[in-house]
Amino acid sequence: QDRQDKDVIQKCGAAARASMVAIEVHFKKKTRLEKLEMEFDEIDQEQQSIQQLADNQQTLDIWAVAIDADTLLVPDYSIRSKDVEKIVATGADGKPFEVALHALGRNFDFALLKTKEKAALTPVTFEKFEPFELGTNFYIVHSERVDRQWHLNVSPYIVTNHPLLDAKGWMLIDRMRPGSLLFDSKGRCVGIPLDQYLWTLESGRNSFVV
C-alpha cells in the first residue's frame, strides 16, 4: 500500500509539474495624487496589500495552471489591469515569459492570462470526475515560493465525512488552496478547485472547473 501511495503521489507531481507555472505580478506605483484620491475611497484588505507591494517594489508570487497552449488560469487575487505593470511567468523549463490579463471567470473567482509571446505550455488534461466515497484517497497539488525557490506540494487527503441524510449531492469539508489541481485515488486530474471545500450539487454545479 505504501509503495502504491508513493507511485500515485509521484504521478500527481509529474503531471502537475508539467502544467503549473510560477507567476510574478509587478504592480505600478501610485502617484501622490492617486494616493490622495484613494484616501477618500473604501479600499479592501487585498487592495491595501497590493498597494503595499507596489510601494515596496515587491512582486505578488502566485502559481497558475496551463489550461490551453497559450492560456493560464489563476485564482483571482483582485488583480486588475490598471494596477499591473507586467506579469512574468516561468514554466518547468525555467524560461521566463510575459503574460497579460485576458478575462475574469465566473463570480470573479479566477482569472485567465494569455501569453504575450510564444511559449511551450503543457495544458493539463482532465478525466471524468466521480464523487469520492467515504474512505477514498485523493490528492491536492499546489505550488508556493519559499526562500526564493518555487516548490511543488502534493498533499494526500482522505474522505472522512459523508452526508448524514441520503442525498445525491456530495461535499468534502476540508480546507485546501483554491486554484490547486485535484487528483483522484488513481492519480488522474479531475479538476481545479475554486473554493476551500469540494462540493457538487444535484443540479450539476460544483466548486471546481474542468
Side-chain angles (χ1 to χ4, degrees):
Q1 183 65 41
D2 290 344
R3 177 71 243 180
Q4 182 180 357
D5 290 343
K6 183 178 180 181
D7 290 344
V8 175
I9 288 174
Q10 289 177 340
K11 182 180 179 180
C12 296
R17 186 176 186 273
S19 301
M20 277 191 166
V21 176
I23 299 291
E24 295 179 353
V25 184
H26 300 251
F27 295 104
K28 299 174 183 176
K29 291 191 70 172
K30 299 290 185 184
T31 64
R32 188 173 298 179
L33 179 59
E34 288 173 326
K35 288 182 179 180
L36 286 173
E37 291 175 347
M38 289 173 63
E39 290 181 4
F40 296 96
D41 297 328
E42 291 187 9
I43 303 175
D44 60 28
Q45 188 173 357
E46 287 180 336
Q47 288 298 311
Q48 290 178 356
S49 298
I50 287 174
Q51 182 56 46
Q52 188 174 10
L53 289 172
D55 289 341
N56 295 330
Q57 297 184 318
Q58 295 175 309
T59 58
L60 174 64
D61 299 329
I62 53 179
W63 77 89
V65 177
I67 59 172
D68 205 345
D70 63 349
T71 307
L72 297 166
L73 181 148
V74 295
D76 181 28
Y77 288 84
S78 297
I79 304 170
R80 299 292 180 264
S81 296
K82 63 182 179 64
D83 300 318
V84 174
E85 182 177 286
K86 65 178 179 178
I87 304 175
V88 179
T90 305
D93 60 4
K95 296 179 181 178
F97 55 95
E98 282 201 42
V99 296
L101 283 168
H102 175 67
L104 292 177
R106 64 183 187 193
N107 300 324
F108 301 95
D109 50 9
F110 69 88
L112 296 179
L113 310 176
K114 286 280 190 179
T115 59
K116 280 188 170 183
E117 54 200 76
K118 189 175 181 180
L121 297 181
T122 303
V124 64
T125 56
F126 298 104
E127 303 289 342
K128 182 180 179 181
F129 172 77
E130 298 290 345
F132 303 148
E133 297 180 355
L134 187 66
T136 301
N137 292 323
F138 68 98
Y139 305 87
I140 294 290
V141 184
H142 70 271
S143 186
E144 59 188 343
R145 196 173 191 179
V146 182
D147 291 336
R148 300 182 182 180
Q149 296 290 330
W150 283 96
H151 298 268
L152 200 65
N153 182 287
V154 184
S155 299
Y157 284 74
I158 186 170
V159 179
T160 58
N161 65 80
H162 62 110
L164 175 64
L165 303 177
D166 186 19
K168 292 184 179 180
W170 172 86
M171 181 174 184
L172 171 76
I173 304 175
D174 214 334
R175 290 186 176 274
M176 55 198 64
R177 301 194 181 196
S180 304
L181 287 175
L182 171 65
F183 290 84
D184 66 11
S185 60
K186 296 180 181 179
R188 300 176 301 187
C189 190
V190 293
I192 303 175
L194 296 174
D195 197 349
Q196 290 185 332
Y197 308 105
L198 296 177
W199 50 265
T200 61
L201 301 179
E202 189 175 355
S203 64
R205 287 190 62 229
N206 58 49
S207 63
F208 44 92
V209 293
V210 294

